[in-house]
Amino acid sequence: MAAQQDGERRRFVRVPIDGSAKLLCSGREWDARFLDVSLKGALISRPKAWQGASDTACELHLLLGEGDVVITMQGTVAHADPDHLGFRCDHIGLESVSHLKRLLELNLGDERLLERELFELAARSD
């Protein structure tokens, strides 16, 4: 799992997923591809017309399947490079976290790892 190898400081495992995303910032909306997701954020392709900066408050919609399941996160752009935006999730609703948990369960293949990450997430929220 490449995400664990390149980021030992990372507390949440990233799961590579290829899907559609919508980024909403400052009253504008951009289409993007989401490339990976974790309990605390996502990596998306950088929309061509996006001119924002790191620490920009945004909302991210990750569209699963034919768009019938949407994971919505509020947060900030943690980092931006010419090809990607790293998004830090600061808030996620109950329905979205349920969808995200199920997505991670299906892709991690290790229920104990997911439970450890959920415990870590809850501990950081206190």
Side-chain angles (χ1 to χ4, degrees), residues 25-88:
C25 302
S26 306
R28 296 195 53 205
E29 181 178 315
W30 294 270
D31 291 324
R33 300 292 304 163
F34 82 92
L35 307 171
D36 68 40
V37 66
S38 76
L39 286 173
K40 274 309 273 183
L43 182 69
I44 64 170
S45 63
R46 182 179 180 142
K48 293 189 187 329
W50 192 78
Q51 297 296 317
S54 294
D55 295 326
T56 301
C58 298
E59 184 171 282
L60 182 63
H61 298 262
L62 305 174
L63 311 170
L64 304 175
E66 298 296 318
D68 49 332
V69 175
V70 179
I71 296 171
T72 301
M73 301 176 172
Q74 289 82 32
T76 55
V77 175
H79 62 87
D81 67 39
D83 297 320
H84 305 101
L85 298 177
F87 184 81
R88 182 183 68 237

Side-chain angles (χ1 to χ4, degrees), residues 91-110:
H91 175 76
I92 186 169
L94 185 58
E95 185 174 342
S96 287
V97 82
S98 294
H99 291 312
L100 180 56
K101 180 179 181 252
R102 182 67 179 140
L103 180 67
L104 293 173
E105 279 176 338
L106 292 172
N107 287 280
L108 282 176
D110 184 346

